[in-house]
Each structure stands twice: as C-alpha cells, then as structure tokens.
Amino acid sequence: MNRSINDQNSKLKIFASYIVPHRGAFALDMCLSLAVAVVDLAFPYMTRQSLNSLLPKGLFGAFFAVMGILFVSYLLRAWFQYLITIIGHRMGTLVEADMRRDIFTHMQSLSFSFFDRNRTGVLLSRVTNDLFEIVELAHHGPENLLICGVTLLGSVIILLTFN
C-alpha cells in the first residue's frame, strides 16, 4: 500500500491504514480481548451469586460446580491472554515492517542537504524509538481500550444490579 508521510489525511487515518492489511489478526485480538474482559467480570458476579444463593440453601455440589466452571474459565482466560500476546506482537511486527519500508522509501527521497543539516545518528535513533512506541500502541492500545471500556461498563452494570 502506498502511503505518503506528508499526506493531508488525519494521522489516525494513516495509522489505521497500516492496521487494515492485518485486520484478521486485529479482529481476533479484539475478540480475545473481549473474552478476557467478560471472564474478568463473570468471576465476582458468579462468586457473589453463588455465595448468596447456593451456600445458604446447602447446595454445596452446585456451588463447587460453579467454582469449577470459574476455575476452568480462568484457565481459558490465561490461554486467551497468551494468544493475545502472540497474535498482537505478530501483528505489531508486520505493521512495523510496513512502516519501516515506507520510512526507508521516504528517507531515500530526501535531499542530501537534509542529511547535511541533520545528524544521521539522531535521525536513526528517532526513527527506531518512535517506531517502536507506535507499534506498541498499534496492538496494546486498542486491546487495552476495549478491555478497560468493557470492564468499566460491565462493573457499573454489575454494581447497579447488586444494589
């Protein structure tokens, strides 16, 4: 995909254009992030419901079955978190490769006078460090926004149902 660094489009649009070719991995990453948030919300809700309704009635078998299901869901959550890490970092690496290619092409088009005015080490340091931060944002940013948003909204809903 041909992207121009000096494009007049918004920076977010340019950023999103690097994610679009990897939308399958991005979508899977977001679905797994949503599952992690749901499991995190289910644990306190199900624990409270079990403690308040199953134990007072002496339904110990049902209580331990619910706790077993919650334990299995936390194992599943750990697996999802592992997959999020693997898929997210793979997607980040692919996005970084695309960005590096475009930055290299752009830097090749700059005039010699630009490199006379700017120190090469400073330019390479900026490109390397800034690109690393952008790539980290590319996969951790959206998943953290989703997890935090769902957790916050879900927590408010759960608290309103409790009281």
Side-chain angles (χ1 to χ4, degrees):
M1 182 177 273
N2 188 10
R3 298 172 194 88
S4 173
I5 300 291
N6 296 323
D7 198 356
Q8 294 301 315
N9 293 330
S10 72
K11 289 177 176 62
L12 187 59
K13 199 177 225 183
I14 294 170
F15 180 70
S17 72
Y18 285 99
I19 303 240
V20 168
H22 314 290
R23 64 183 162 269
F26 182 77
L28 182 57
D29 191 40
M30 292 297 102
C31 289
L32 292 171
S33 297
L34 180 63
V36 165
V38 168
V39 169
D40 286 342
L41 287 171
F43 187 78
Y45 181 77
M46 292 304 297
T47 302
R48 182 178 194 276
Q49 294 300 98
S50 296
L51 289 172
N52 289 341
S53 62
L54 297 177
L55 284 182
K57 295 177 185 173
L59 301 172
F60 298 112
F63 174 77
F64 287 115
V66 169
M67 292 302 118
I69 291 169
L70 287 176
F71 178 74
V72 170
S73 69
Y74 258 93
L75 292 177
L76 196 58
R77 180 203 182 281
W79 176 247
F80 288 165
Q81 193 65 48
Y82 172 76
L83 290 176
I84 287 169
T85 302
I86 297 298
I87 293 167
H89 281 275
R90 183 174 185 275
M91 184 193 73
T93 302
L94 294 171
V95 168
E96 183 177 14
D98 294 344
M99 287 182 175
R100 283 185 186 273
R101 183 194 62 241
D102 289 349
I103 289 172
F104 179 77
T105 302
H106 176 72
M107 290 187 88
Q108 290 290 313
S109 69
L110 295 173
S111 67
F112 288 118
S113 63
F114 174 81
F115 292 103
D116 289 339
R117 289 188 313 271
N118 298 288
R119 295 180 7 204
T120 306
V122 172
L123 291 173
L124 288 175
S125 176
R126 286 289 306 260
V127 167
T128 303
N129 292 333
D130 291 353
L131 193 56
F132 175 77
E133 295 299 328
I134 290 169
V135 168
E136 286 296 304
L137 174 67
H139 75 278
H140 288 302
E143 72 191 31
N144 285 343
L145 282 174
L146 179 67
I147 290 171
C148 292
V150 169
T151 302
L152 185 63
L153 183 65
S155 298
V156 168
I157 291 170
I158 289 172
L159 288 173
L160 290 175
T161 61
F162 284 170
N163 188 3

